[in-house]
Amino acid sequence: MTFKHKLSRRLALLKDAWLVVALAALGCEKPLAVTDPGATIRLQITPKSVTMPTDGAAQLMAVALTPAGDTATIDVNWSVTGGTIADTNTHGGRHYAGYKATQNGKFKVVAHGHGSSGSGSDTATITVVPAAVASMKVIPAVVSLLVGASVQLTATTADSAGNVLSGRSISWSSSNASVASVNSNGLVASVAPGSATITATSEGQSAAVPVTVTNVPVASLQVSPASANLLVGQALSLTATTRDSAGNPLIGRPVSWTSSNPSVATVSSSGQVTGVTQGSATITATSESKSSTAALTVTSVPVAAVAVAPATANLTVGQTVQLTATPKDSAGSALTGRTVTWASSNTAVATVGPSGLVTSKAAGSATITATSEGKAGSATVTVAVVPVASVAVTPATATIPSQGTLQLTATPKDANGNTLTGRSVTWTSSAPTQMSVSPSGLVTDLADNVTVSITATVEGQSGASVVTVQAPVASGSVPDPTLLPVASGQAPNLSAYLALNVANQPAGFSYND
């Protein structure tokens, strides 16, 4: 096997950055001094091409070869278009150079050979690329924020050796932007209570930071208005403002409402207060254990007017009517639960009870007044007598002795047959020259052996009694004892009258006489 063939095989086994194996293989060859001035020297660099990261390093070797492929002894100088040659040395005809990368890019390393045996050069290409990101770190590693606060995160990239890499592009993302958002520079802004993960990514590597967002605690609570006066049935909306320790308003915080006296004033979940009855109540708003109160005084709606129904009533004596009084406010709305007093302007005509029941007493007019809280309303009551529908005269028929008398009674009655009292009665005789009747109904015989109709008239209605005068007794005859006048001090014998069927006639007769 020729030396050249052996050398080519050894060079093919060389690695990009390490030449140890190649150098050991070449060590068995002894450099030859070239004595032929016309000989051609060829300089060869190994490796010819190297790719390394920024701040990387590689060792190059240059060998001078004769046309026969033997190692020649010459001097070698090194030059670079980028980066630096850290060190050089020569051993056994092999020339070494340590290359150090300082920046990214493609550069050339040139070995220049010269000497008495000849000259030559060769070039290796060095490609420097950024170191790959092998890991990332974000600080702070854990974040807790209040709503509305922000924090700046910082991401650091490193290579596989843990060296920090600068100038790398980093992207940021949030797993829950509704809780915490992050901009392209890593500034995290809290939005709402909850949890989110902020992730920084560079060249396929990433690091994450857990972020917990909580509400700014409520430091104080203010209820407005702090005090209020309400009328019964009136409503008022209270507002509660939550604030942080700096006095800044906090929105969206739940507030609960309570009333110290719901029988006086109630409060809804939204803070609307309604007056129920007269009195005082304290309304309390609470949020996150902080509370504030409002003092309420509830009064009755003042009575502005009183309406009495019916406004007029027509009664007959003895009849009743129920009046109703309705207190009203200034808007005309009915008010309940108010005290009402009643009065009559003429109790001789009509009286009124505490409930508004009117009772007619006599014909005439009266004003019934209802009063509540200084306001009054009234109704006019007109009372008329019950009309007389009929007149009953008793006895309806009678017989009296000559020159005798009879007391008639007239009873006025209404359409239902009820007796009417206090009515004026007028008496008339159908034959006043034969039988007279007084204004009180006393009939007196003026002629013998006659029958006369006595009429009682009341308010256009009348009734009559037929009275017959007994013929005079003949001389020597005994008169009907039932027709004799009652003796002084003697009581009538009513049993005898009843037996004779003349119970209604005056007599003085007695079976004991």
Side-chain angles (χ1 to χ4, degrees), residues 371-464:
T371 303
S372 181
E373 299 178 16
K375 303 298 180 179
S378 63
T380 301
V381 176
T382 301
V383 181
V385 294
V386 179
V388 175
S390 63
V391 178
V393 179
T394 57
T397 61
T399 300
I400 62 174
S402 176
Q403 304 300 314
T405 61
L406 175 66
Q407 179 63 55
L408 298 179
T409 301
T411 304
K413 296 185 178 183
D414 61 17
N416 295 321
N418 300 313
T419 299
L420 301 174
T421 60
R423 304 303 171 91
S424 176
V425 180
T426 301
W427 294 91
T428 59
S429 172
S430 62
T433 60
Q434 299 175 352
M435 186 179 295
S436 66
V437 60
S438 71
S440 62
L442 181 63
V443 176
T444 303
D445 172 41
L446 301 177
D448 296 333
N449 199 25
V450 295
T451 298
V452 177
S453 177
I454 303 300
T455 302
T457 303
V458 181
E459 298 176 12
Q461 303 297 323
S462 61

Side-chain angles (χ1 to χ4, degrees), residues 13-340:
L13 295 175
L14 292 176
K15 301 298 181 179
D16 287 343
W18 306 104
L19 305 179
V20 176
V21 176
L23 293 175
L26 291 173
C28 65
E29 300 293 339
K30 182 179 179 180
L32 299 177
V34 179
T35 57
D36 184 359
T40 302
I41 300 301
R42 179 167 60 87
L43 195 63
Q44 184 169 334
I45 294 180
T46 303
K48 296 288 290 182
S49 176
V50 177
T51 299
M52 66 179 63
T54 304
D55 295 334
Q59 189 175 56
L60 303 178
M61 181 190 74
V63 178
L65 300 175
T66 67
D70 296 318
T71 302
T73 302
I74 63 172
D75 294 328
V76 175
N77 292 327
W78 299 85
S79 65
V80 294
T81 59
T84 61
I85 297 298
D87 61 81
T88 62
N89 64 81
T90 300
H91 177 71
R94 293 171 291 277
H95 307 276
Y96 303 98
Y99 177 83
K100 176 67 176 178
T102 59
Q103 59 185 337
N104 298 331
K106 183 174 285 189
F107 309 102
K108 292 183 181 298
V109 178
V110 181
H112 303 277
H114 53 87
S116 60
S117 59
S119 64
S121 66
D122 196 9
T123 302
T125 301
I126 306 295
T127 302
V128 181
V129 296
V133 174
S135 64
M136 292 191 69
K137 181 180 180 180
V138 177
I139 55 173
V142 178
V143 174
S144 295
L145 293 176
L146 296 176
V147 172
S150 61
V151 64
Q152 179 65 56
L153 300 182
T154 301
T156 303
T157 56
D159 60 18
S160 59
N163 300 312
V164 175
L165 302 174
S166 61
R168 300 306 169 90
S169 176
I170 298 173
S171 62
W172 296 88
S173 63
S174 170
S175 65
N176 193 347
S178 63
V179 171
S181 63
V182 61
N183 67 9
S184 59
N185 297 319
L187 181 65
V188 177
S190 60
V191 179
S195 297
T197 299
I198 305 300
T199 302
T201 303
S202 180
E203 299 178 18
Q205 302 298 318
S206 63
V209 173
V211 176
T212 301
V213 180
T214 57
N215 275 323
V216 177
V218 174
S220 64
L221 188 65
Q222 181 179 8
V223 175
S224 179
S227 62
N229 295 317
L230 286 180
L231 297 174
V232 172
Q234 189 177 10
L236 173 67
S237 290
L238 300 180
T239 58
T241 303
T242 53
R243 299 181 184 276
D244 61 18
S245 58
N248 300 312
L250 301 173
I251 61 175
R253 301 305 170 89
V255 177
S256 61
W257 297 87
T258 58
S259 171
S260 66
N261 196 347
S263 63
V264 171
T266 60
V267 61
S268 71
S269 59
S270 63
Q272 179 166 286
V273 178
T274 302
V276 179
T277 58
Q278 296 185 74
S280 298
T282 299
I283 306 300
T284 302
T286 303
S287 180
E288 298 178 17
S289 76
K290 302 299 180 181
S291 62
S292 180
T293 61
L296 293 182
T297 301
V298 180
T299 58
S300 294
V301 179
V303 175
V306 178
V308 177
T312 60
N314 294 311
L315 302 176
T316 55
V317 174
Q319 279 188 314
T320 62
V321 64
Q322 179 65 57
L323 299 183
T324 301
T326 303
K328 296 185 177 183
D329 61 18
S330 58
S333 300
L335 302 173
T336 60
R338 303 308 168 89
T339 300
V340 177

